[in-house]
Coordinates of all heavy atoms in Angstrom, one line a residue:
A241 N 23.7 -22.5 -9.5 CA 22.8 -23.6 -9.9 C 21.5 -23.5 -9.1 O 21.4 -22.7 -8.1 CB 23.4 -24.9 -9.7
S242 N 20.5 -24.3 -9.5 CA 19.3 -24.4 -8.7 C 19.6 -25.0 -7.4 O 20.6 -25.7 -7.2 CB 18.3 -25.3 -9.5 OG 17.3 -25.8 -8.6
R243 N 18.7 -24.7 -6.4 CA 18.9 -25.3 -5.1 C 18.9 -26.8 -5.1 O 19.6 -27.5 -4.3 CB 17.8 -24.8 -4.1 CG 17.9 -23.3 -3.8 CD 16.9 -22.9 -2.8 NE 17.2 -23.6 -1.5 CZ 16.5 -23.5 -0.4 NH1 15.3 -22.8 -0.5 NH2 16.8 -24.2 0.7
L244 N 18.2 -27.4 -6.1 CA 18.2 -28.9 -6.1 C 19.4 -29.5 -6.8 O 19.6 -30.7 -6.7 CB 16.9 -29.4 -6.8 CG 15.7 -29.3 -5.9 CD1 15.0 -28.0 -6.0 CD2 14.8 -30.5 -6.1
I245 N 20.2 -28.7 -7.5 CA 21.4 -29.2 -8.1 C 22.6 -28.9 -7.1 O 22.7 -29.6 -6.1 CB 21.6 -28.5 -9.5 CG1 20.3 -28.6 -10.3 CG2 22.8 -29.2 -10.3 CD1 19.8 -30.1 -10.7
V246 N 23.3 -27.9 -7.3 CA 24.5 -27.6 -6.4 C 24.4 -26.2 -5.9 O 25.4 -25.7 -5.4 CB 25.8 -27.9 -7.1 CG1 26.0 -29.4 -7.3 CG2 26.0 -27.1 -8.4
G247 N 23.2 -25.5 -5.9 CA 23.1 -24.1 -5.5 C 22.7 -23.9 -4.0 O 22.3 -22.8 -3.6
N248 N 22.7 -25.0 -3.2 CA 22.1 -24.9 -1.9 C 23.2 -24.6 -0.8 O 23.5 -25.5 0.0 CB 21.3 -26.2 -1.6 CG 20.2 -26.0 -0.5 OD1 19.5 -25.0 -0.6 ND2 20.1 -26.9 0.4
D249 N 23.7 -23.4 -0.8 CA 24.6 -23.0 0.2 C 24.0 -23.3 1.6 O 22.8 -23.1 1.8 CB 24.9 -21.5 0.0 CG 25.9 -20.9 0.9 OD1 25.7 -20.6 2.1 OD2 27.1 -20.7 0.4
P250 N 24.9 -23.6 2.6 CA 24.4 -24.0 3.9 C 23.5 -22.8 4.5 O 22.7 -23.1 5.4 CB 25.6 -24.2 4.7 CG 26.7 -24.5 3.8 CD 26.3 -23.9 2.5
V251 N 23.7 -21.6 4.1 CA 23.0 -20.5 4.7 C 21.5 -20.6 4.4 O 20.7 -20.2 5.2 CB 23.5 -19.1 4.2 CG1 23.1 -18.8 2.7 CG2 23.0 -18.0 5.1
F252 N 21.1 -21.3 3.4 CA 19.6 -21.5 3.1 C 19.0 -22.3 4.3 O 18.0 -21.8 4.8 CB 19.4 -22.3 1.8 CG 19.6 -21.4 0.6 CD1 20.8 -21.2 0.0 CD2 18.5 -20.7 0.1 CE1 21.0 -20.4 -1.1 CE2 18.6 -19.9 -1.0 CZ 19.9 -19.7 -1.6
A253 N 19.5 -23.5 4.6 CA 18.9 -24.3 5.6 C 19.0 -23.6 7.0 O 18.1 -23.7 7.8 CB 19.6 -25.7 5.7
E254 N 20.2 -23.0 7.2 CA 20.3 -22.3 8.5 C 19.2 -21.2 8.7 O 18.5 -21.2 9.7 CB 21.7 -21.5 8.6 CG 22.9 -22.3 8.9 CD 24.1 -21.6 8.6 OE1 24.2 -20.3 8.8 OE2 25.1 -22.2 8.2
F255 N 19.1 -20.4 7.7 CA 18.1 -19.3 7.8 C 16.6 -19.9 7.8 O 15.8 -19.4 8.5 CB 18.3 -18.3 6.7 CG 17.3 -17.1 6.8 CD1 17.2 -16.4 8.0 CD2 16.5 -16.8 5.8 CE1 16.2 -15.4 8.1 CE2 15.5 -15.8 5.9 CZ 15.4 -15.1 7.0
E256 N 16.4 -20.9 7.0 CA 15.0 -21.5 7.0 C 14.7 -22.1 8.4 O 13.5 -21.9 8.8 CB 15.0 -22.6 5.9 CG 14.8 -22.0 4.5 CD 15.0 -23.0 3.4 OE1 15.5 -24.1 3.6 OE2 14.7 -22.6 2.2
R257 N 15.6 -22.6 9.1 CA 15.4 -23.2 10.4 C 15.0 -22.0 11.3 O 14.0 -22.0 12.1 CB 16.6 -23.9 10.9 CG 16.4 -25.4 11.0 CD 17.4 -26.1 11.9 NE 18.8 -25.6 11.6 CZ 19.6 -26.1 10.7 NH1 19.2 -27.0 9.8 NH2 20.8 -25.6 10.5
E258 N 15.8 -20.9 11.3 CA 15.6 -19.8 12.2 C 14.3 -19.1 11.9 O 13.5 -18.8 12.8 CB 16.7 -18.7 12.0 CG 18.1 -19.2 12.5 CD 19.2 -18.2 12.0 OE1 18.9 -17.1 11.4 OE2 20.4 -18.5 12.2
F259 N 14.0 -19.0 10.6 CA 12.8 -18.3 10.2 C 11.5 -19.1 10.5 O 10.5 -18.5 11.0 CB 12.8 -17.9 8.7 CG 11.8 -16.8 8.4 CD1 12.1 -15.5 8.7 CD2 10.6 -17.1 7.8 CE1 11.2 -14.4 8.4 CE2 9.7 -16.0 7.5 CZ 10.0 -14.7 7.8
A260 N 11.6 -20.4 10.4 CA 10.4 -21.3 10.7 C 10.2 -21.2 12.2 O 9.0 -21.1 12.7 CB 10.7 -22.7 10.3
A261 N 11.2 -21.2 13.0 CA 11.0 -21.0 14.5 C 10.4 -19.7 14.8 O 9.5 -19.6 15.7 CB 12.4 -21.2 15.2
F262 N 10.8 -18.7 14.1 CA 10.2 -17.3 14.3 C 8.7 -17.3 14.0 O 7.9 -16.8 14.7 CB 11.0 -16.4 13.4 CG 10.4 -15.0 13.1 CD1 10.4 -14.0 14.1 CD2 9.9 -14.8 11.9 CE1 9.8 -12.8 13.8 CE2 9.4 -13.5 11.6 CZ 9.3 -12.5 12.5
K263 N 8.4 -18.0 12.9 CA 7.0 -18.0 12.4 C 6.1 -19.0 13.3 O 4.9 -18.9 13.2 CB 6.9 -18.4 11.0 CG 7.5 -17.4 10.0 CD 6.6 -16.2 9.8 CE 5.4 -16.5 8.9 NZ 4.7 -15.2 8.6
G264 N 6.8 -19.9 13.9 CA 6.1 -20.9 14.7 C 5.6 -22.1 13.8 O 4.6 -22.7 14.2
T265 N 6.2 -22.3 12.7 CA 5.8 -23.4 11.8 C 6.9 -24.5 11.8 O 8.0 -24.2 12.2 CB 5.6 -22.9 10.4 OG1 6.8 -22.2 9.9 CG2 4.4 -21.9 10.3
E266 N 6.5 -25.7 11.3 CA 7.5 -26.8 11.2 C 8.6 -26.5 10.3 O 9.8 -26.8 10.5 CB 6.8 -28.1 10.8 CG 6.1 -28.8 11.9 CD 5.4 -30.0 11.4 OE1 5.7 -30.5 10.3 OE2 4.4 -30.5 12.1
G267 N 8.3 -25.8 9.1 CA 9.3 -25.6 8.1 C 9.1 -24.3 7.4 O 8.1 -23.6 7.6
C268 N 10.0 -24.0 6.5 CA 10.0 -22.8 5.8 C 10.9 -23.0 4.5 O 11.8 -23.8 4.6 CB 10.6 -21.7 6.6 SG 11.3 -20.3 5.8
L269 N 10.6 -22.4 3.4 CA 11.3 -22.6 2.2 C 11.5 -21.2 1.5 O 10.5 -20.5 1.4 CB 10.5 -23.5 1.3 CG 11.1 -24.1 0.0 CD1 12.3 -25.0 0.4 CD2 10.1 -24.9 -0.8
L270 N 12.7 -20.9 1.1 CA 13.0 -19.6 0.5 C 12.8 -19.7 -1.0 O 13.2 -20.7 -1.6 CB 14.5 -19.2 0.8 CG 14.9 -19.0 2.2 CD1 16.3 -18.5 2.3 CD2 13.9 -18.0 2.9
Y271 N 12.3 -18.7 -1.6 CA 12.1 -18.6 -3.0 C 12.8 -17.3 -3.5 O 13.1 -16.4 -2.7 CB 10.6 -18.4 -3.3 CG 9.8 -19.7 -3.4 CD1 9.5 -20.4 -2.3 CD2 9.5 -20.2 -4.7 CE1 8.8 -21.6 -2.4 CE2 8.8 -21.4 -4.8 CZ 8.4 -22.1 -3.6 OH 7.7 -23.3 -3.8
G272 N 12.9 -17.2 -4.8 CA 13.6 -16.1 -5.4 C 12.9 -14.8 -5.2 O 13.5 -13.7 -5.0
S273 N 11.6 -14.7 -5.2 CA 10.8 -13.5 -5.0 C 9.4 -13.9 -4.6 O 9.0 -15.1 -4.7 CB 10.7 -12.6 -6.2 OG 9.9 -13.2 -7.2
G274 N 8.6 -12.9 -4.1 CA 7.2 -13.2 -3.8 C 6.4 -13.6 -5.0 O 5.5 -14.5 -4.9
Y275 N 6.7 -13.0 -6.1 CA 6.0 -13.4 -7.4 C 6.3 -14.9 -7.7 O 5.3 -15.7 -7.9 CB 6.5 -12.5 -8.5 CG 5.7 -12.8 -9.8 CD1 4.6 -12.0 -10.1 CD2 6.1 -13.8 -10.7 CE1 3.9 -12.2 -11.3 CE2 5.4 -14.0 -11.8 CZ 4.3 -13.2 -12.2 OH 3.6 -13.5 -13.3
M276 N 7.5 -15.3 -7.6 CA 7.9 -16.7 -7.9 C 7.2 -17.6 -6.9 O 6.8 -18.7 -7.2 CB 9.4 -16.9 -7.9 CG 10.0 -16.2 -9.2 SD 11.4 -17.2 -9.7 CE 12.7 -16.3 -8.8
A277 N 7.2 -17.2 -5.6 CA 6.6 -18.1 -4.6 C 5.1 -18.3 -4.9 O 4.6 -19.4 -4.9 CB 6.8 -17.5 -3.2
N278 N 4.4 -17.2 -5.1 CA 2.9 -17.4 -5.4 C 2.7 -18.3 -6.6 O 1.8 -19.2 -6.6 CB 2.2 -16.0 -5.5 CG 1.9 -15.5 -4.2 OD1 1.7 -16.2 -3.2 ND2 1.7 -14.2 -4.1
V279 N 3.4 -18.0 -7.7 CA 3.2 -18.7 -8.9 C 3.6 -20.2 -8.7 O 2.9 -21.1 -9.1 CB 4.1 -18.1 -10.0 CG1 4.2 -19.0 -11.2 CG2 3.4 -16.8 -10.5
G280 N 4.7 -20.4 -8.0 CA 5.2 -21.8 -7.8 C 4.4 -22.6 -6.8 O 4.3 -23.8 -6.9
V281 N 3.8 -22.0 -5.8 CA 3.1 -22.7 -4.7 C 1.7 -23.1 -5.2 O 1.3 -24.2 -5.1 CB 3.0 -21.9 -3.4 CG1 2.0 -22.5 -2.4 CG2 4.4 -21.7 -2.8
I282 N 1.0 -22.1 -5.8 CA -0.4 -22.4 -6.2 C -0.4 -23.4 -7.3 O -1.2 -24.4 -7.3 CB -1.1 -21.1 -6.6 CG1 -1.2 -20.2 -5.4 CG2 -2.5 -21.4 -7.2 CD1 -1.7 -18.8 -5.8
S283 N 0.5 -23.3 -8.3 CA 0.5 -24.3 -9.4 C 1.0 -25.6 -8.9 O 0.7 -26.6 -9.6 CB 1.4 -23.7 -10.5 OG 2.7 -23.6 -10.1
A284 N 1.8 -25.7 -7.8 CA 2.2 -27.0 -7.3 C 1.0 -27.7 -6.5 O 0.8 -28.9 -6.6 CB 3.4 -26.9 -6.4
L285 N 0.2 -26.9 -5.8 CA -0.8 -27.4 -4.9 C -2.1 -27.8 -5.6 O -2.8 -28.7 -5.1 CB -1.1 -26.5 -3.8 CG 0.1 -26.2 -2.8 CD1 -0.4 -25.3 -1.7 CD2 0.6 -27.5 -2.2
V286 N -2.5 -27.1 -6.6 CA -3.7 -27.5 -7.3 C -3.5 -27.6 -8.8 O -2.6 -26.9 -9.4 CB -4.9 -26.4 -7.1 CG1 -5.5 -26.5 -5.7 CG2 -4.3 -25.0 -7.3
G287 N -4.2 -28.5 -9.4 CA -4.1 -28.8 -10.8 C -5.4 -28.6 -11.5 O -6.4 -28.0 -11.0
R288 N -5.5 -29.2 -12.7 CA -6.7 -29.1 -13.6 C -8.0 -29.4 -12.9 O -9.0 -28.7 -13.2 CB -6.5 -30.0 -14.7 CG -6.9 -29.4 -16.1 CD -6.8 -30.5 -17.1 NE -5.4 -30.5 -17.7 CZ -4.9 -29.7 -18.6 NH1 -5.7 -28.7 -19.0 NH2 -3.7 -29.8 -19.1
R289 N -8.1 -30.3 -12.0 CA -9.3 -30.6 -11.3 C -9.6 -29.9 -10.0 O -10.6 -30.1 -9.3 CB -9.5 -32.2 -11.2 CG -9.9 -32.8 -12.5 CD -10.1 -34.3 -12.3 NE -8.8 -35.0 -12.0 CZ -7.9 -35.3 -13.0 NH1 -8.2 -35.1 -14.2 NH2 -6.8 -35.9 -12.6
G290 N -8.6 -29.0 -9.6 CA -8.8 -28.3 -8.4 C -9.5 -27.0 -8.6 O -9.9 -26.6 -9.7
I291 N -9.9 -26.4 -7.4 CA -10.6 -25.1 -7.5 C -9.9 -24.1 -6.5 O -9.6 -24.5 -5.4 CB -12.1 -25.3 -7.0 CG1 -12.8 -26.4 -7.7 CG2 -12.8 -24.0 -7.2 CD1 -14.1 -26.7 -7.1
V292 N -9.6 -22.9 -7.0 CA -9.0 -21.9 -6.2 C -10.1 -20.8 -5.9 O -10.6 -20.3 -6.9 CB -7.7 -21.3 -6.8 CG1 -7.1 -20.3 -5.8 CG2 -6.7 -22.4 -7.1
F293 N -10.3 -20.5 -4.7 CA -11.2 -19.4 -4.3 C -10.4 -18.2 -3.9 O -9.6 -18.3 -3.0 CB -12.1 -19.9 -3.1 CG -12.8 -21.2 -3.4 CD1 -12.2 -22.4 -3.2 CD2 -14.1 -21.1 -3.8 CE1 -12.9 -23.6 -3.5 CE2 -14.8 -22.3 -4.1 CZ -14.2 -23.5 -3.9
S294 N -10.5 -17.1 -4.6 CA -9.6 -16.0 -4.5 C -10.3 -14.7 -4.3 O -11.2 -14.4 -5.1 CB -8.7 -16.0 -5.7 OG -7.9 -14.9 -5.8
D295 N -10.0 -13.9 -3.3 CA -10.5 -12.6 -3.2 C -10.2 -11.8 -4.4 O -9.1 -11.8 -4.9 CB -9.9 -11.9 -1.9 CG -10.6 -10.6 -1.5 OD1 -10.5 -9.6 -2.3 OD2 -11.2 -10.6 -0.4
R296 N -11.2 -11.0 -4.9 CA -11.0 -10.4 -6.2 C -10.0 -9.2 -6.1 O -9.5 -8.8 -7.1 CB -12.3 -9.9 -6.8 CG -13.0 -8.8 -6.1 CD -14.0 -8.2 -7.0 NE -13.4 -7.7 -8.2 CZ -14.0 -6.9 -9.1 NH1 -15.2 -6.7 -9.0 NH2 -13.3 -6.4 -10.1
L297 N -9.6 -8.8 -4.9 CA -8.5 -7.8 -4.8 C -7.1 -8.4 -4.5 O -6.2 -7.7 -4.2 CB -8.9 -6.8 -3.7 CG -10.1 -5.9 -4.0 CD1 -10.2 -4.8 -3.0 CD2 -10.1 -5.4 -5.4
N298 N -7.0 -9.8 -4.6 CA -5.7 -10.4 -4.4 C -4.7 -9.9 -5.4 O -5.0 -9.5 -6.5 CB -5.8 -11.9 -4.5 CG -6.3 -12.5 -3.2 OD1 -6.3 -11.9 -2.2 ND2 -6.7 -13.8 -3.3
H299 N -3.4 -10.0 -5.0 CA -2.3 -9.5 -5.8 C -2.2 -10.3 -7.2 O -2.5 -11.4 -7.3 CB -1.0 -9.7 -5.0 CG 0.2 -9.1 -5.6 ND1 1.1 -9.8 -6.3 CD2 0.6 -7.8 -5.6 CE1 2.1 -9.0 -6.7 NE2 1.8 -7.7 -6.3
A300 N -1.6 -9.6 -8.2 CA -1.5 -10.2 -9.5 C -0.7 -11.5 -9.6 O -1.0 -12.4 -10.4 CB -0.9 -9.1 -10.5
S301 N 0.2 -11.6 -8.7 CA 1.0 -12.9 -8.7 C 0.2 -14.1 -8.3 O 0.5 -15.2 -8.7 CB 2.3 -12.7 -7.8 OG 1.9 -12.3 -6.5
I302 N -0.8 -13.8 -7.4 CA -1.7 -14.9 -7.1 C -2.6 -15.3 -8.3 O -2.8 -16.5 -8.6 CB -2.6 -14.5 -5.9 CG1 -1.8 -14.3 -4.6 CG2 -3.8 -15.5 -5.6 CD1 -2.5 -13.8 -3.4
V303 N -3.1 -14.3 -9.0 CA -3.9 -14.5 -10.2 C -3.1 -15.3 -11.2 O -3.5 -16.3 -11.8 CB -4.4 -13.2 -10.8 CG1 -5.2 -13.4 -12.0 CG2 -5.2 -12.4 -9.7
D304 N -1.8 -14.9 -11.4 CA -1.0 -15.6 -12.4 C -0.7 -17.1 -11.9 O -0.6 -18.0 -12.8 CB 0.4 -14.9 -12.5 CG 0.2 -13.5 -13.3 OD1 -1.0 -13.2 -13.6 OD2 1.1 -12.8 -13.5
G305 N -0.6 -17.3 -10.6 CA -0.4 -18.7 -10.1 C -1.6 -19.5 -10.4 O -1.5 -20.7 -10.8
I306 N -2.8 -18.9 -10.3 CA -4.0 -19.7 -10.5 C -4.1 -20.0 -12.0 O -4.4 -21.2 -12.4 CB -5.2 -18.9 -10.1 CG1 -5.1 -18.6 -8.6 CG2 -6.5 -19.7 -10.4 CD1 -6.2 -17.6 -8.0
V307 N -3.8 -19.0 -12.9 CA -3.8 -19.3 -14.3 C -2.9 -20.4 -14.7 O -3.2 -21.4 -15.4 CB -3.5 -18.0 -15.1 CG1 -3.3 -18.3 -16.6 CG2 -4.5 -16.9 -14.9
L308 N -1.7 -20.4 -14.1 CA -0.7 -21.4 -14.4 C -1.1 -22.8 -13.9 O -0.7 -23.8 -14.5 CB 0.7 -21.0 -13.8 CG 1.9 -21.7 -14.3 CD1 2.2 -21.5 -15.8 CD2 3.1 -21.2 -13.5
S309 N -1.8 -22.8 -12.8 CA -2.2 -24.1 -12.2 C -3.3 -24.8 -13.1 O -3.5 -26.0 -12.9 CB -2.8 -23.9 -10.8 OG -4.1 -23.3 -10.9
R310 N -4.0 -24.1 -13.9 CA -5.1 -24.5 -14.8 C -6.3 -25.0 -13.9 O -7.2 -25.6 -14.4 CB -4.7 -25.7 -15.6 CG -3.5 -25.4 -16.6 CD -3.4 -26.6 -17.6 NE -2.2 -26.4 -18.4 CZ -1.0 -26.9 -18.2 NH1 -0.8 -27.5 -17.0 NH2 0.0 -26.7 -19.0
A311 N -6.3 -24.6 -12.6 CA -7.4 -24.9 -11.8 C -8.6 -24.0 -12.1 O -8.4 -23.0 -12.8 CB -7.1 -24.8 -10.3
E312 N -9.8 -24.4 -11.6 CA -10.9 -23.5 -11.8 C -10.7 -22.3 -10.9 O -10.3 -22.5 -9.7 CB -12.2 -24.3 -11.4 CG -13.4 -23.7 -12.0 CD -14.6 -24.5 -11.6 OE1 -14.5 -25.8 -11.4 OE2 -15.7 -24.0 -11.4
H313 N -11.0 -21.1 -11.4 CA -10.8 -19.9 -10.6 C -12.1 -19.3 -10.2 O -12.8 -18.8 -11.0 CB -10.0 -18.9 -11.5 CG -9.5 -17.6 -10.8 ND1 -8.8 -16.6 -11.4 CD2 -9.7 -17.2 -9.5 CE1 -8.6 -15.7 -10.5 NE2 -9.1 -16.0 -9.4
K314 N -12.4 -19.4 -8.9 CA -13.6 -18.8 -8.3 C -13.2 -17.5 -7.6 O -12.7 -17.6 -6.5 CB -14.3 -19.7 -7.4 CG -14.8 -21.0 -8.0 CD -16.0 -20.8 -8.8 CE -16.7 -22.1 -9.3 NZ -17.7 -21.8 -10.2
R315 N -13.5 -16.3 -8.2 CA -13.3 -15.1 -7.5 C -14.5 -14.7 -6.7 O -15.6 -14.7 -7.1 CB -13.0 -14.0 -8.6 CG -11.6 -14.0 -9.1 CD -11.4 -13.4 -10.4 NE -12.0 -12.1 -10.6 CZ -11.4 -10.9 -10.8 NH1 -10.1 -10.9 -10.8 NH2 -12.1 -9.8 -11.0
Y316 N -14.2 -14.3 -5.4 CA -15.3 -13.7 -4.6 C -15.1 -12.3 -4.4 O -13.9 -11.8 -4.4 CB -15.5 -14.5 -3.3 CG -14.3 -14.6 -2.4 CD1 -14.0 -13.7 -1.4 CD2 -13.3 -15.7 -2.6 CE1 -12.9 -13.8 -0.6 CE2 -12.2 -15.8 -1.7 CZ -12.1 -14.8 -0.7 OH -11.0 -14.9 0.1
R317 N -16.2 -11.5 -4.2 CA -16.1 -10.1 -3.9 C -15.2 -9.8 -2.7 O -15.2 -10.7 -1.8 CB -17.5 -9.5 -3.7 CG -18.2 -9.3 -5.1 CD -19.6 -8.5 -4.8 NE -20.5 -9.4 -4.1 CZ -21.3 -10.3 -4.6 NH1 -21.4 -10.5 -5.9 NH2 -22.0 -11.1 -3.8
H318 N -14.6 -8.7 -2.7 CA -13.6 -8.4 -1.6 C -14.2 -8.6 -0.2 O -15.2 -8.0 0.2 CB -13.2 -6.9 -1.7 CG -12.2 -6.5 -0.7 ND1 -11.1 -7.3 -0.4 CD2 -12.1 -5.4 0.0 CE1 -10.3 -6.6 0.5 NE2 -10.9 -5.5 0.8

Side-chain angles (χ1 to χ4, degrees):
S242 161
R243 292 188 61 187
L244 279 92
I245 310 297
V246 290
N248 206 41
D249 186 280
V251 74
F252 282 90
E254 280 166 34
F255 181 54
E256 282 169 348
R257 252 195 316 277
E258 292 169 5
F259 199 77
F262 163 75
K263 294 285 284 184
T265 55
E266 279 178 19
C268 158
L269 190 62
L270 298 184
Y271 275 77
S273 71
Y275 186 94
M276 288 213 269
N278 275 337
V279 164
V281 171
I282 296 171
S283 61
L285 292 184
V286 283
R288 223 182 272 281
R289 279 181 295 279
I291 311 172
V292 184
F293 303 85
S294 170
D295 190 296
R296 66 165 300 191
L297 295 190
N298 277 344
H299 191 259
S301 55
I302 293 176
V303 177
D304 291 1
I306 300 170
V307 171
L308 193 62
S309 76
R310 302 189 185 91
E312 202 178 329
H313 186 178
K314 296 283 190 192
R315 276 157 48 113
Y316 56 92
R317 282 185 296 273
H318 183 44

